[in-house]
Each structure stands twice: as C-alpha cells, then as structure tokens.
Amino acid sequence: AQSVSQHNHHVILSEAASLELGCNYSYGGTVNLFWYVQYPGQHLQLLLKYFSGDPLVKGIKGFEAEFIKSKFSFNLRKPSVQWSDTAEYFCAVRPDSNYQLIWGAGTKLIIKP
Amino acid sequence: DGGITQSPKYLFRKEGQNVTLSCEQNLNHDAMYWYRQDPGQGLRLIYYSQIVNDFQKGDIAEGYSVSREKKESFPLTVTSAQKNPTAFYLCASSIRTKDEQFFGPGTRLTVL
C-alpha cells in the first residue's frame, strides 16, 4: 500500500537552529508533493508544493524542500528557525494514479525561545 | 472574505445518535473533501466530491454519509454505525481534485 513516512513525531529546537524534517513515500511513479503546516489554533495551510520542474522548491516563511526522486524523499528545511515556527508539519503525496492525498502522521515542532 | 467554514467547532453527542457536521465554502471550488484526524496519525480521507451531485468513498467511509446538493456545501453525517466517532474532522476544498487543498478550522466531535 502507498504510504508516507515522517521520521520524527516531535522535534525540539532552539531559535536560530537549522531545521530538516524528513518525508519519504512509497510509490514508484510520478507524484505531486506537499508540505502543510498547522500553527496552534489555526487552519492547516499550504507551506509549499512540488508538481514538476526544479526539485528545490521554495515556500512561505523561508521554508524550502528538495525532491530527491531516487530516494523517494521530500525533506523540508529552514536554515534558521524562529519561535513562531512552532507548529505541526504534515507531508502529503498524491500519486499520479489517483486523486487522493496520502498523508504522513505529522511532526510537532517546538522552538524554544 | 473567502474561505471554508465548519460548524460547530465542538460537538457532543450521545452514543447511538447520528450527527451532521456542516462545511461551507465560498471559494467557488469544484472539489470538496472530508478528513478525520486522530492523534499521532495523518489525515485520513472519509469522502470526497469532485462536482455537485457526485461523491466518492475514501479510505474510511464506513459509518459516514455525505451529500453534495450545492457546490458550496458538503455536509458529513456521522451515523451510529461508526464504531469510534470521537475525532477531529476537517473539511477541505480545491479548484479541482488535483489542485492544492484549502482547509476549514475543523470540528471536534466527542461521543459520550
């Protein structure tokens, strides 16, 4: 079955630290890739997406993600986190074979001021 | 102000009762979705609708029902057949099914 794996359920970092959240998926064909973020008390919102083209994708608030097809990965990065980045981050994948998004379990990120 | 509204924010029901969760969007999106979110798990798709008067089962449709009589509305009924209904329910919409999804604020349902 198709699945999405987010390696860390909880991550705690200090402000100004660099961030990398892992996301791997199990599907051999073409995919669309997404990172969504849920800030405390707010709606889930799109952080960035990859459909085709440059595998390094830039999103809002200084986030970026790199699609590495050979590794089936789409890791999220930010060079220097802020306290306001405290949130839950979800990776989602859409295989080209269907309309459904397959979601990872999420990573709760806590930034210590 | 465009967006997706879900009501109510919190809902309590007694075991054995059906309950309907509301989802309305004014984004003029064709596609709408219902997800269930449980702690430590990703979102799981209950139902989705690509267009008015059409909807498809997702991975966990058992014990749920939907309707799509209007483009802007996609209500979800949690029936008494749903074995474990206590959860956080999210509604989403997109222009078409392969586009970015926009989410509502969610409804937290607790069965007493």
Side-chain angles (χ1 to χ4, degrees):
Chain A
Q2 297 156 353
S3 64
V4 176
S5 174
Q6 292 184 241
H7 313 300
N8 306 102
H9 292 299
H10 293 89
V11 173
I12 301 174
L13 294 172
S14 297
E15 275 196 311
S18 64
L19 170 72
E20 181 160 3
L21 300 181
C23 174
N24 286 88
Y25 61 92
S26 61
Y27 180 71
T30 303
V31 292
N32 301 146
L33 301 158
F34 305 82
W35 275 98
Y36 281 82
V37 61
Q38 190 167 31
Y39 297 103
Q42 294 188 29
H43 303 194
L44 258 176
Q45 59 184 280
L46 184 70
L47 204 51
L48 48 77
K49 63 185 177 184
Y50 173 81
F51 276 41
S52 63
D54 187 345
L56 184 60
V57 179
K58 296 199 183 299
I60 61 171
K61 304 189 180 186
F63 285 90
E64 64 179 29
E66 185 174 13
F67 171 45
I68 303 180
K69 190 173 181 180
S70 61
K71 294 186 178 180
F72 302 94
S73 71
F74 191 54
N75 291 355
L76 182 70
R77 301 194 292 245
K78 185 170 183 178
S80 176
V81 293
Q82 302 171 306
W83 177 78
S84 58
D85 293 324
T86 294
E88 190 161 15
Y89 294 80
F90 293 90
C91 180
V93 176
R94 180 187 292 116
D96 63 353
S97 58
N98 63 49
Y99 298 134
Q100 290 194 30
L101 279 178
I102 302 166
W103 293 80
T107 297
K108 286 188 177 171
L109 175 65
I110 296 172
I111 306 299
K112 298 184 295 183
Chain B
D1 191 18
I4 302 174
T5 56
Q6 291 185 244
S7 61
K9 189 172 181 180
Y10 298 96
L11 188 56
F12 299 88
R13 79 151 215 227
K14 291 183 181 177
E15 214 170 312
Q17 290 179 336
N18 292 354
V19 63
T20 297
L21 281 58
S22 166
C23 176
E24 303 278 330
Q25 54 99 359
N26 61 3
L27 300 168
N28 200 33
H29 287 172
D30 282 324
M32 296 187 75
Y33 314 81
W34 274 106
Y35 290 96
R36 173 181 170 136
Q37 186 178 16
D38 294 285
Q41 298 190 41
L43 277 65
R44 292 183 290 166
L45 184 66
I46 304 172
Y47 270 97
Y48 69 99
S49 168
Q50 296 179 59
I51 201 163
V52 174
N53 292 323
D54 180 68
F55 49 82
Q56 307 293 329
K57 291 182 179 180
D59 297 325
I60 56 165
E62 187 175 346
Y64 300 98
S65 66
V66 293
S67 63
R68 186 87 188 275
E69 296 174 3
K70 298 187 294 182
K71 187 175 186 177
E72 56 270 23
S73 179
F74 191 41
L76 173 74
T77 297
V78 184
T79 75
S80 56
Q82 168 49 231
K83 297 277 189 288
N84 185 20
T86 294
F88 188 56
Y89 291 88
L90 283 166
C91 180
S93 71
S94 62
I95 297 173
R96 291 170 300 274
T97 46
K98 291 203 169 187
D99 294 309
E100 167 193 349
Q101 293 182 16
F102 293 81
F103 284 83
T107 293
R108 189 167 297 280
L109 172 65
T110 303
V111 175
L112 306 170

